[in-house]
Amino acid sequence: MRAGADARPRSATAAVVHGHITDAVKTPDLVRLTDDVVLARFETMKVYAALGAVRSLLRRGRVVPGQTLVDSSSGIYALALAMACHRYGLRCHIVASTTVDATMRAQLEILGATVDAMPPSQSLRLDQELRVRHVRRLLAERPDFHWMRQYHDGIHHEGYREFAELLAGALPEGPLTVVGAVGTGASTGGLARALRESGRPVRLVGIQPFGSVTFGSERFEDPEAIIAGIGSSIPFGNVRHELYDTVHWLDFRHAMAGAVGLLREHAVFAGLSTGAAHLTASWEAARDPGRLHLVLGADTGHRYAERVFARHAEALDPAGLRPRTIASPDDLRPPWSVMEWAGRDAPEAARTAEGTGASEGARTAEGTGACEGARTAEGDVPSPSSSPSSPSPSPSPSPSSVPSVELLP
């Protein structure tokens, strides 16, 4: 029997009939991997962020049913936003990363989203910068669009309070270590803040790829990196650096080892960011036995099937992998480093013009989603010589021409 498996199945509980698929998708599968490690495995974790943000925007009157919401995404947030728009009668426009595959794009289009796909790029860094530049061009042409700004608007933290409430009922009381990819900062930061506010002692362990500006690894390159969405080449206002106790930096090979190991040892098929979190949590739990560790599994492994899981014979053995412990980002080295961040401020290169963790909602003109006075490093990217094309979105209705919406829980 695998570690963490129960000898006897628990009694069945009553099934819930959901009113919309988002209610089913947002609820994770909680799987005990070892005595000290529990995995929260999602189909798409960012449904919490998208639903929480959309509901809040509608309640505040910052967007209205029928209006178009636009954002840049590497895939997970795009699908979550499209589903939230489907639920609440909004239109959706996605500027998609090169990592968005045909399967994901088909789902988005059938859900009613229009998609602008970025042209092939030699790096995810350039891809991300060009996506945000393209969003700005769209806003200049269509000021009635609302830019969701998942990277900067603190409204995306709000949905994770519901996840924290779910965990409070599912996990035993006591100290908890949350381990997850940093990405935009909303999931790890939003969850840790909500849990701490409830009185639970929580350590927050963030994971970064090499090449990300968020925690100071931008001077490195990982030629195999395809871990979309867990790092950034531009400053993210939603990353609250002071919330993080420990930071791990991992390369592609180590994330792959964690993902393949998770499937091999526990039959869990999950993405690369989950693999990185699994490997990290295993090491963290070994040095702090008896403390419960929660691994955030953001999505399934389907979009990595060919690039990762088909290469499983190449995967490193997780049992033989250890990080290099460092005292300063100056000592950072691939392939795996760990540092006690201890609530430090953001590195200089990761600070936004509007301030780390700032909410776009307090600074943006109501209903437009464009914030000219709060441009970050993303606005300094040269405009490409040509832009991708897609079907022109239908005009969004004015606030006076649309009905009100009842927000279901």
Side-chain angles (χ1 to χ4, degrees), residues 71-322:
D71 215 342
S72 157
S73 175
S74 61
I76 301 177
Y77 180 79
L79 183 57
L81 183 60
M83 288 194 291
C85 288
H86 180 275
R87 178 169 185 168
Y88 289 118
L90 293 150
R91 293 185 176 128
C92 181
H93 188 93
I94 298 297
V95 178
S97 167
T98 57
T99 61
V100 173
D101 59 20
T103 301
M104 176 70 73
R105 178 161 183 165
Q107 291 181 76
L108 293 172
E109 291 175 345
I110 292 171
L111 283 167
T114 49
V115 181
D116 287 349
M118 287 291 99
S121 173
Q122 293 183 341
S123 72
L124 291 180
R125 177 177 300 183
L126 178 61
D127 172 76
Q128 184 180 56
E129 292 170 342
L130 294 181
R131 278 187 278 135
V132 177
R133 170 59 74 178
H134 186 65
V135 171
R136 290 194 179 279
R137 285 199 297 272
L138 286 172
L139 291 169
E141 297 168 2
R142 293 296 303 273
D144 55 318
F145 279 17
H146 179 88
W147 187 7
M148 290 300 292
R149 302 181 80 235
Q150 63 153 324
Y151 305 144
H152 303 294
D153 193 339
I155 202 170
H156 289 90
H157 286 234
E158 296 181 12
Y160 291 100
R161 293 187 178 278
E162 185 180 352
F163 182 27
E165 293 173 2
L166 181 151
L167 292 174
L171 301 179
E173 295 181 358
L176 178 69
T177 295
V178 174
V179 184
V182 176
T184 65
S187 58
T188 47
L191 177 60
R193 289 176 67 188
L195 289 170
R196 287 169 178 169
E197 288 170 5
S198 72
R200 185 189 288 262
V202 173
R203 285 186 64 242
L204 181 55
V205 177
I207 297 169
Q208 283 278 278
F210 288 95
S212 172
V213 70
T214 308
F215 282 88
S217 66
E218 66 272 12
R219 68 185 184 276
F220 296 97
E221 293 287 345
D222 183 357
E224 291 189 285
I226 56 171
I227 317 176
I230 79 169
S232 176
S233 63
I234 59 178
F236 282 175
N238 268 342
V239 178
R240 300 289 299 274
H241 291 74
E242 72 276 10
L243 297 175
Y244 294 85
D245 298 288
T246 307
V247 177
H248 288 251
W249 295 263
L250 284 80
D251 71 356
F252 165 79
R253 289 283 175 172
H254 282 67
M256 178 179 177
V260 173
L262 183 61
L263 181 55
R264 179 174 289 130
E265 295 298 317
H266 302 286
V268 175
F269 185 50
L272 273 181
S273 66
T274 307
H278 170 232
L279 182 64
T280 296
S282 298
W283 183 82
E284 289 281 346
R287 70 170 184 158
D288 193 4
R291 184 184 181 101
L292 186 61
H293 291 69
L294 177 71
V295 176
L296 299 185
D299 63 348
T300 67
H302 291 89
R303 62 177 175 158
Y304 299 107
E306 293 298 324
R307 296 175 292 176
V308 175
F309 294 100
R311 299 167 54 190
H312 61 87
E314 304 172 30
L316 301 172
D317 181 1
L321 304 179
R322 299 287 185 276

